[in-house]
Amino acid sequence: MLEERRLEVLRAIVEDFVLSNEPVGSKALAERHALGVSPATVRNDMAALEDEGYITQPHTSAGRIPTDKGYRLFVDRLSGVKPLSRAERRAIQNFLEGAVDLDDVVLRSVRLLAQLTRQVAVVQYPSLTSSRVRHIEVVQISPGRLLIVLITDTARVEQRIVDVAEPLEEDVVAELRAVLNRALGGRRLADAAAEAATLPEGASPGLRPQLTALATVLIETLVERHEERIALAGTANLTRSALDFSDSLRMILEALEEQVVLLKLIGWAREPGTVTVRIGRETDVDALRSTAVIATSYGRGNAALGGMGVVGPKRMDYPGTMSAVWAVANYVGELLGAD
């Protein structure tokens, strides 16, 4: 274990380097931070930190900069996610509460996260595997034609047209609606498909033809394999930190165009409220070894609906970025997880 004083020296080096993007010297460090020791002692601590691989000297006459190992220790020793100010929390809440549907929630969230962190933001749409049926609406839109609307608890909405043999009375339409909601309401999408297949068997003869037509369309809707969707914003923010990347910016941008890469980057945090940080090679993506990724998931309680996070240079404001990611995920979880 490093001594607490050396941890303070490392913290000061990380903070100064993030702000200045210049190697940090012992004299400047002692002057800017209340470390309570002389520059000579700071030099000794920096030498020990360098020997143990937490900082490095990029040039012979330069100060020191953090290594990936140093950033990792700095992040690991943070005492939790620092809280946002009341004004910041209110601004996030007001911005997200203005959303009118799921697409709007996701697009607002990803834009907001990019603005707050000044990094590349990634937000995953709610995973279909975790969605449940909230309500099924059935409406007769013309003689012999019904509109069936499937609404999930993650605000996904699917609409299908169903042809039936003849016009239906309103009370028959209402009964069909009630049967579907009693049987399928609250069920996971995969389970709802199996349940829908059994509905015509137990229906009265008068409802069986219509229920068969509705169940057939519902099953097709429920078992469709929709591709997981991702929203991305703030790629232009990478240009502000182009000198931080040892690899070409083009390679990083190409990696971020791959949806499989994005899903992997934000897939580490499985439990809402848990913020994970991957630094450099910890991302397991060669093109992103000059970056850091901060990710979390959003949802209701301990059930994750999807993930979100940011990608940026290793030289980033970790406490502030972690706080912003956590706050936005928290509000999105409240919006989409509400009954």
Side-chain angles (χ1 to χ4, degrees):
M1 291 290 293
L2 289 173
E3 298 175 5
E4 286 302 316
R5 191 184 70 224
R6 289 181 184 169
L7 284 172
E8 283 300 301
V9 171
L10 176 63
R11 177 191 58 77
I13 292 171
V14 171
E15 290 178 353
D16 282 8
F17 182 63
V18 166
L19 286 174
S20 68
N21 197 21
E22 296 289 341
V24 182
S26 58
K27 182 178 179 181
L29 208 62
E31 291 173 350
R32 282 196 293 262
H33 298 270
L35 298 173
V37 293
S38 68
T41 302
V42 173
R43 275 197 299 275
N44 290 335
D45 288 338
M46 291 176 70
L49 288 167
E50 185 171 11
D51 288 343
E52 296 182 26
Y54 294 104
I55 59 175
T56 188
Q57 187 176 28
H59 310 290
T60 54
S61 60
R64 307 301 193 272
I65 64 174
T67 62
D68 288 8
K69 183 179 178 181
Y71 281 124
R72 166 51 56 197
L73 181 62
F74 172 78
V75 170
D76 289 345
R77 293 303 291 264
L78 289 176
S79 56
V81 176
K82 72 176 184 181
L84 296 179
S85 69
R86 181 175 297 179
E88 290 171 323
R89 293 197 306 270
R90 176 58 61 184
I92 292 173
Q93 187 175 9
N94 289 343
F95 184 74
L96 293 181
E97 284 183 348
V100 297
D101 56 22
L102 176 60
D103 282 330
D104 202 11
V105 169
V106 171
L107 294 178
R108 282 175 181 251
S109 300
V110 77
R111 289 199 305 269
L112 178 61
L113 202 51
Q115 291 167 7
L116 288 173
T117 64
R118 302 182 73 190
Q119 311 294 354
V120 179
V122 183
V123 177
Q124 178 189 11
Y125 277 74
S127 175
L128 299 180
T129 58
S130 60
S131 297
R132 295 178 181 271
V133 176
R134 173 177 286 176
H135 181 71
I136 297 173
E137 188 57 59
V138 181
V139 180
Q140 185 164 227
I141 56 176
S142 65
R145 177 164 286 190
L146 301 175
L147 172 68
I148 184 168
V149 183
L150 170 68
I151 305 169
T152 74
D153 61 349
T154 53
R156 171 188 166 197
V157 177
E158 296 286 343
Q159 303 182 51
R160 297 288 188 274
I161 300 295
V162 183
D163 292 317
V164 292
E166 57 188 19
L168 303 176
E169 299 292 333
E170 182 53 40
D171 60 337
V172 175
V173 175
E175 189 173 355
L176 289 168
R177 184 187 308 122
V179 169
L180 292 174
N181 281 290
R182 279 198 304 270
L184 307 182
R187 291 183 178 272
R188 295 170 65 91
L189 297 193
D191 298 334
E195 183 65 22
T198 67
L199 287 179
E201 300 173 7
S204 63
L207 286 181
R208 194 168 296 155
Q210 295 84 0
L211 201 53
T212 298
L214 288 169
T216 300
V217 172
L218 264 177
I219 292 167
E220 292 172 354
T221 304
L222 290 165
V223 300
E224 281 180 354
R225 289 197 169 274
H226 295 263
E227 186 178 5
E228 295 287 1
R229 296 173 61 194
I230 289 283
L232 188 71
T235 52
N237 287 332
L238 290 176
T239 61
R240 294 186 304 101
S241 308
L243 296 179
D244 285 297
F245 303 118
S246 58
D247 300 308
S248 74
L249 198 55
R250 180 180 60 81
M251 289 176 59
I252 295 173
L253 291 171
E254 287 176 352
L256 294 178
E257 289 178 358
E258 297 293 331
Q259 181 156 299
V260 143
V261 171
L262 295 178
L263 287 169
K264 179 180 181 180
L265 293 178
I266 61 176
W268 293 305
R270 299 296 182 185
E271 183 177 336
T274 300
V275 179
T276 64
V277 181
R278 293 291 184 272
I279 300 166
R281 295 187 181 277
E282 293 175 352
T283 63
D284 292 329
V285 180
D286 284 343
L288 300 180
R289 61 191 174 189
S290 298
T291 71
V293 179
I294 296 177
T296 189
S297 58
Y298 63 86
R300 60 176 74 82
N302 293 327
L305 299 175
M308 67 172 61
V310 299
V311 182
K314 290 180 284 189
R315 185 182 64 87
M316 71 163 66
D317 173 15
Y318 287 95
T321 304
M322 292 168 69
S323 180
V325 169
W326 178 89
V328 173
N330 185 52
Y331 284 117
V332 171
E334 289 180 0
L335 283 174
L336 297 182
D339 292 330

